[in-house]
Amino acid sequence: MSTAFYKTLNPTPFGVFDDEADFQSDADSVVKFVKRKLGDDILSVELTKKQIWACFEESSMEYGTLVNEYQTKSQLSNLMGISTGSNVQGKYAHETLDFILRLSEPYAQEGGIGGSYNTVSGSIELVKNQQDYDIYDNLKDGAGNLIFSSSMNNDGAGRLKILEIYHFNPQAAYRFFDTTSAINYLNNEFSFESFTPETVFYVLPVFEDVLRGGQMDLSNRVRRSNYSYRTQGTKIRIFPAPTADDPKKLWFRVGFGNNPFDPGYNDGTINGVSLPSNVPFNWIKYATI
């Protein structure tokens, strides 16, 4: 078979590089190279050009795969979530924090400062001298409906997760920073005039206020009855026992088990790049190889 590559019908199995002039010009040279490496000048090498060109195509594809694999490993955190229909071959990706931010969202949700999933607030009506309550049976929303059976609990049986309980002592700082105190709390470090209703005037550093506030808070916890609670299973016990005759409400922030593919907002990136196998890299052009 003496026909040149570009004149041959279907010279390679997949035709990935057949239209490239560089591949066409090298294809015939590769035939000569392979046959000579196998001893064609002395021995009879019974290989057709199409057989050699098929291996030539495979080797070019294999090399391109290795390059794409390396790029995928290097840039996967920046490629996750992008559209699988976009062609990013040969493009230089800018570094982003999207992957790390998504990785940190569960921690933000636990802290009540973000996250991908909605939470709900509810309350338990406290009864005088009653310390023990069942969260599943007593926690209700503003309309008086049980939180556990709300629409947020998708499967109706998932564990109710307590994220925050608003049961704590009034902050000592409110007392410490009272306007009748002779202690200066809007000092020069905050660019405020340091006057109080009394005649005593202090200029103190900020850490002085922080230390005194912490000292008063610790004193309240040690010397006085401390507000606290303990949860176990579905039960919560609050301390101290309620003493008010009129009902009071203890507020909670709760959530349920989260579906990783159904966050609280419409997230199209879930259907984007998720694995190295669907990163939108095309075959590298032979001229680039």
Side-chain angles (χ1 to χ4, degrees):
M1 185 185 294
S2 59
T3 306
F5 177 87
Y6 63 91
K7 294 182 179 180
T8 304
L9 182 64
N10 299 324
T12 60
F14 297 101
V16 175
F17 310 103
D18 288 359
D19 294 334
E20 294 190 49
D22 289 323
F23 188 81
Q24 295 174 6
S25 62
D26 288 347
D28 293 322
S29 299
V30 167
V31 172
K32 186 185 296 183
F33 171 79
V34 170
K35 287 192 173 185
R36 284 186 177 178
K37 290 289 288 184
L38 296 176
D40 187 53
D41 292 337
I42 300 176
L43 304 175
S44 177
V45 178
E46 296 180 354
L47 292 175
T48 66
K49 286 187 175 182
K50 283 190 175 182
Q51 288 174 317
I52 296 175
W53 287 335
C55 295
F56 182 38
E57 180 188 52
E58 180 187 11
S59 62
S60 300
M61 293 167 66
E62 179 68 19
Y63 179 80
T65 299
L66 295 175
V67 173
N68 284 340
E69 182 180 344
Y70 174 83
Q71 183 70 355
T72 300
K73 290 180 179 179
S74 301
Q75 297 290 338
L76 187 59
S77 63
N78 300 318
L79 299 172
M80 296 287 279
I82 69 171
S83 172
T84 56
S86 55
N87 178 18
V88 296
Q89 183 63 58
K91 296 181 179 179
Y92 179 55
H94 285 281
E95 294 289 337
T96 71
L97 295 177
D98 289 346
F99 178 77
I100 297 176
L101 290 175
R102 176 171 289 192
L103 198 64
S104 65
E105 282 181 346
Y107 304 97
Q109 179 165 336
E110 291 296 323
I113 54 173
S116 302
Y117 301 92
N118 296 327
T119 60
V120 62
S121 62
S123 63
I124 287 178
E125 192 169 278
L126 301 180
V127 180
K128 185 177 180 180
N129 297 325
Q130 180 180 337
Q131 289 183 275
D132 297 328
Y133 301 86
D134 191 292
I135 302 169
Y136 283 40
D137 295 337
N138 299 121
L139 186 62
K140 299 179 181 180
D141 60 18
N145 302 316
L146 287 176
I147 297 292
F148 181 66
S149 58
S150 71
S151 59
M152 287 193 63
N153 190 358
N154 296 324
D155 59 8
R159 181 174 69 91
L160 188 149
K161 185 177 182 181
I162 299 175
L163 301 174
E164 190 170 5
I165 300 177
Y166 299 93
H167 184 60
F168 39 76
N169 279 315
Q171 290 188 11
Y174 289 142
R175 294 172 54 201
F176 172 63
F177 290 151
D178 188 88
T179 55
T180 61
S181 170
I183 303 298
N184 165 44
Y185 59 95
L186 294 176
N187 53 59
N188 288 345
E189 293 191 30
F190 288 144
S191 301
F192 283 89
E193 292 294 338
S194 301
F195 295 100
T196 68
E198 301 178 15
T199 58
V200 183
F201 175 74
Y202 292 93
V203 178
L204 299 174
V206 175
F207 73 82
E208 175 77 14
D209 295 349
V210 175
L211 290 176
R212 286 183 179 272
Q215 182 183 26
M216 184 172 291
D217 182 64
L218 182 60
S219 174
N220 289 341
R221 291 178 181 273
V222 174
R223 295 191 172 104
R224 299 187 178 189
S225 178
N226 183 39
Y227 282 65
S228 63
Y229 58 87
R230 183 173 70 240
T231 59
Q232 185 167 352
T234 66
K235 308 296 183 180
I236 179 171
R237 173 173 290 182
I238 64 170
F239 305 93
T243 58
D245 291 324
D246 55 324
K248 301 291 185 181
K249 289 186 177 181
L250 174 61
W251 289 90
F252 293 69
R253 185 172 63 87
V254 298
F256 297 98
N258 299 318
N259 183 343
F261 302 107
D262 187 22
Y265 51 89
N266 185 17
D267 187 1
T269 63
I270 288 177
N271 298 316
V273 171
S274 58
L275 299 167
S277 61
N278 62 357
V279 174
F281 283 141
N282 291 339
W283 296 113
I284 299 178
K285 291 185 176 297
Y286 178 79
T288 304
I289 295 176

